[in-house]
Each structure stands twice: as structure tokens, then as C-alpha cells.
Amino acid sequence: MYEGFIGWRYTRRQRGTRGRNAFVSFISLVSMLGLMLGVAALIVVLSVMNGFQDELRHRILGVASHIEVSSQRGMLEAWPAVLDRVRRHPEVLGAAPFIQEQAMVSGNGRVQGVGVRGIEPSLERGVAQFADYLRAGSLDALQPHSYGIILGTDLARRLAVGLGDEVTLIAPTATATLAGVMPRVRAFRVVGLFESGMYEYDSGLVLVHLRDAQALYRYGEAVTGVRLKVRDLFAAPAVVRQLAPTLPAGLWLRDWTQTHANFFRAVQLEKTMMTLILFLIVAVAAFNIVSTLVMAVQDKTADIAILRTLGASPASVMAIFIVQGTTIGVLGLTAGLALGLAIAHHLDVVVPALEHLTGATLWNKEIYFLSELPSKVLAADVLRVLTGSFVLTLLATLYPSWRASRLQPAEALRHE
């Protein structure tokens, strides 16, 4: 079709073009670059948000639990029966008792508030990934009544301690002595260091043996609750509904979508708002094509009149400028797709390079919880970006193309 040939010819900058023709070509290039940058930014941001959300879920649930069963009275005494009951569910892959309390940990004259988790190492492997996160030591080094402790790497760095060093746990549980009421204090030996990649855990969580935690916090034979790992983490709410009727009254079941609901909702809301803002940028770039085509129509008035005189229909004239506008859009979208995918797949190189050039810290793990900037490109997101951007580009071509098709040959040639 000649409309496509002429539209493509109008899009290309011809050799020797000057004045208005050169300016129209420059505006076309600017529109194309605007689309490229907008699409690339949208793909990169969506990839980072997807990676951030997925990595957070993986990291959090590698340390936390899919489901927690606890007592409404604070201590779960008949936990062996609960453990046996929940293990019978076909979706439950592992179950382990735990104690969760707060304490102050002191080392080398430095003090830090932490969460203390008492675990049974042999069972903990079935519900958490601490064994994979260990950078030194072993879970098996946590033996009952040996008072060993495993610290997060950031916490150990803050306290300036390492394997074999001693730290002191100060529990809020009070003990009556001749000198008055005193907090319970116990020395622990560091037997391991873990790094989950979540700053919240690496700087504020310590692991001790379940028996040592029971002794320190005076739990007796009780625990805080039982942690479960299920086959499909997204099926955790359904598993909770199925388990609840089979367990004794007075127990409280919570899955990860409840314990971390606000966190993941905030991440999803941030992703939605960032997508909307960047789509507006793409829209601005797309509607720059309007000004490009308006100027092209003004510049090609005589050409349009000659085409009409030779028998071209208004629809053909409209098609020429739609082809010109969509060509600009497709070239911009293609370049944006290539640039966006290149950056999204090489963020581990791009971010350090930018930090080196600017001297600024672009990714602070103390703020974003993760030690590295994640990225996950989803084909569905890329397809939505390209489809939405192309539709905006196509809409931007309609009005100028329609105005071109309404041009009368006699009126156009009057002043030529």
C-alpha cells in the first residue's frame, strides 16, 4: 500500500533537509526518545518492584513462618499434641515449636535490643531456612543447657563479636533477690552467624535452643507456639481454615498473609502508584506525537493537495499520517523495550556504577531491608506496558491525521 510507503518516507529524515523539514524531523526524534525513556523507566521500575516483592516474601518466609499456632493465654503447654495433630494435614511439610521473646544483648560494652527465638534445631530445618543462611557455625551447635547463641551478621558486627565470643542476654523477666527485683541475666557463647539478607532480622534476631529459652524466661515445658510450613504458601489461608476445627479450643491460628498483611499491601500500593505515575510520563511522550504530526501536516500541505488531486481519498491521507505517527511510536517502544530489559537484567552492574559516578548511596539496606537491589522481569508486565503505550501512541495520531484528511486541495494550493 502506498500509504505505508509515503508515511515511512515522511518519518525518515531525508538528506539535505533544512529549515522546517529538519525541525519536524528533530521533533519526531524527541518524541521517539521520550517514548523510549518512558517505556524503559516503566519496565525497570516494574521489574524492581516485582523483584522487591518476591524477594521480601522469600526472605521473610525463610525466617518467619507460613502459619503460627499459639495459645490465647500466651503460653502453649500441650504443644506436643498440637504438633502431632497439624503434621497429619497433607499440605503441612514441617512443624516446629518455638519461643518468641524480647531481650537486650550486650557485648564489648555495646547493647542492642533484640528478638529472642528459642528453637529445636532438628525440627527448625523443616520450617525455616536458617541452615542455608548460616555464614559461620551450625544449627547443631545449639545444644540444650549449653547456652549457645546464633546472631545475625549485622548484629554481630554492631557488637563486635564473633564465633566463640560471649554475649550477655538481659531478659525482662524479673527475679526477686536479697538486693531487690532484678532482671534475669545469662551469658551465652556465640556458636553461629546467619545472614538472611533482611536487615530487620540480621540486626535484631538471635537464636537459642528451646530448652535454654524455657529456662531463661521461666516457661517450664511450655512454648509460645508451633510454626508450620505448607506446600503452597499461597494456600496458607485455606490450610488455616481446615486446621482450625481440628485443634482444641483456645488456640489462635495466623498465616503469613495476616502477620505481614500491611507490609505486603504497602509494597503493592507503592507498585500501583509508581506504575500510574510512569504511565503518565509515557502518555506525555506519546502525545508529543500530536505536535509532531500537526507540524508535519502543515509542512506537507502541498503534498497532501497533490495527492488529493491525483485521486487519493481522505481515508488514504489519514492513513499516511497514522502510519507516520505509529512508526515513531513503534520505534520508540522498541528502543525503550531493549533499553528497559538491558537495565533490568543488569541492575547489579548499573547501580554500583551509578553509585561510583555520583558518590551517593542509591540502595541502603537499612532502609529497604534487603542487602541487594532485586529485579524480576515478568512477561505479562512487559506486554501490558507495550500494549498500553501503543494504544496511547495510536490515539495521539488520530486527530492530526483526521485534520489532514479534511484538507481541501484548492485551499491548500491557493498560496503555493
Side-chain angles (χ1 to χ4, degrees):
M1 295 174 63
Y2 73 91
E3 293 93 340
F5 172 77
I6 297 175
W8 169 246
R9 185 180 177 85
Y10 283 173
T11 304
R12 292 186 303 143
R13 178 174 180 174
Q14 304 298 318
R15 289 184 178 180
T17 54
R18 296 180 179 179
R20 181 186 290 270
N21 287 335
F23 185 68
V24 172
S25 298
F26 173 73
I27 295 298
S28 299
L29 179 62
V30 170
S31 301
M32 199 178 303
L33 290 176
L35 276 173
M36 179 189 73
L37 293 176
V39 170
L42 193 50
I43 290 175
V44 171
V45 169
L46 285 177
S47 299
V48 170
M49 294 302 297
N50 288 332
F52 187 68
Q53 192 173 20
D54 191 64
E55 192 70 15
L56 275 178
R57 184 185 297 115
H58 174 75
R59 299 281 186 178
I60 289 174
L61 297 183
V63 177
S65 55
H66 294 177
I67 299 174
E68 287 185 6
V69 182
S70 57
S71 173
Q72 296 177 359
R73 294 179 295 178
M75 293 186 184
L76 181 60
E77 297 177 352
W79 62 267
V82 173
L83 195 69
D84 183 63
R85 185 73 60 86
V86 297
R87 280 174 171 171
R88 299 176 188 174
H89 194 284
E91 290 298 315
V92 175
L93 296 178
F98 74 99
I99 288 178
Q100 189 70 42
E101 288 290 350
Q102 302 294 317
M104 300 289 289
V105 60
S106 172
N108 290 322
R110 305 176 184 182
V111 180
Q112 174 72 30
V114 295
V116 178
R117 181 176 298 174
I119 63 171
E120 181 62 51
S122 60
L123 299 177
E124 189 69 15
R125 289 185 174 86
V127 297
Q129 297 176 324
F130 282 114
D132 299 331
Y133 296 152
L134 284 174
R135 296 294 175 263
S138 167
L139 279 181
D140 294 330
L142 292 179
Q143 296 295 324
H145 310 301
S146 66
Y147 293 98
I149 191 170
I150 297 178
L151 309 178
T153 51
D154 289 312
L155 177 61
R157 194 175 301 115
R158 184 171 298 178
L159 298 177
V161 297
L163 283 180
D165 293 339
E166 279 198 355
V167 296
T168 302
L169 274 187
I170 306 170
T173 306
T175 300
T177 66
L178 295 176
V181 178
M182 303 290 290
R184 294 181 64 82
V185 179
R186 181 74 199 195
F188 283 77
R189 184 171 55 87
V190 178
V191 296
L193 301 173
F194 72 87
E195 184 177 10
S196 67
M198 280 285 294
Y199 182 77
E200 180 182 4
Y201 295 129
D202 293 343
S203 64
L205 179 66
V206 301
L207 306 178
V208 300
H209 195 278
L210 186 70
R211 294 294 181 185
D212 296 342
Q214 287 173 332
L216 180 64
Y217 291 97
R218 294 185 171 181
Y219 266 64
E221 294 298 320
V223 298
T224 301
V226 174
R227 304 169 66 227
L228 312 181
K229 181 178 181 179
V230 296
R231 197 178 308 277
D232 180 6
L233 65 91
F234 294 104
V239 175
V240 167
R241 290 192 295 269
Q242 295 165 7
L243 283 174
T246 67
L247 297 176
L251 296 184
W252 189 12
L253 283 81
R254 295 186 302 170
D255 63 85
W256 67 272
T257 63
Q258 295 172 307
T259 54
H260 300 91
N262 292 337
F263 192 82
F264 288 111
R265 285 173 187 166
V267 173
Q268 183 61 42
L269 178 61
E270 184 178 359
K271 177 183 176 182
T272 302
M273 294 308 299
M274 289 297 295
T275 303
L276 178 60
I277 291 170
L278 290 173
F279 249 123
L280 292 177
I281 295 175
V282 174
V284 170
F287 281 99
N288 280 340
I289 295 175
V290 175
S291 60
T292 301
L293 292 184
V294 168
M295 295 185 66
V297 170
Q298 294 294 325
D299 184 58
K300 304 297 183 183
T301 299
D303 294 3
I304 296 170
I306 292 172
L307 287 172
R308 291 294 307 277
T309 303
L310 292 174
S313 66
S316 295
V317 173
M318 186 174 180
I320 289 171
F321 289 96
I322 288 177
V323 168
Q324 182 181 357
T326 53
T327 300
I328 295 172
V330 168
L331 290 176
L333 295 180
T334 304
L337 173 64
L339 179 61
L341 291 178
I343 295 175
H345 285 298
H346 298 88
L347 279 176
D348 56 335
V349 177
V350 173
V351 173
L354 290 176
E355 290 182 336
H356 178 73
L357 288 175
T358 62
T361 301
L362 302 180
W363 185 259
N364 190 335
K365 65 180 181 179
E366 295 186 15
I367 298 175
Y368 299 106
F369 299 105
L370 300 179
S371 56
E372 296 179 353
L373 180 63
S375 178
K376 183 179 182 180
V377 180
L378 295 181
D381 283 343
V382 173
L383 184 60
R384 280 195 291 268
V385 169
L386 294 179
T387 302
S389 301
F390 180 76
V391 169
L392 289 175
T393 300
L394 186 61
L395 291 175
T397 66
L398 295 181
Y399 177 72
S401 302
W402 177 78
R403 288 297 300 271
S405 70
R406 302 286 293 176
L407 194 65
Q408 297 299 322
E411 185 68 25
L413 293 173
R414 177 178 298 176
H415 304 289
E416 293 293 331

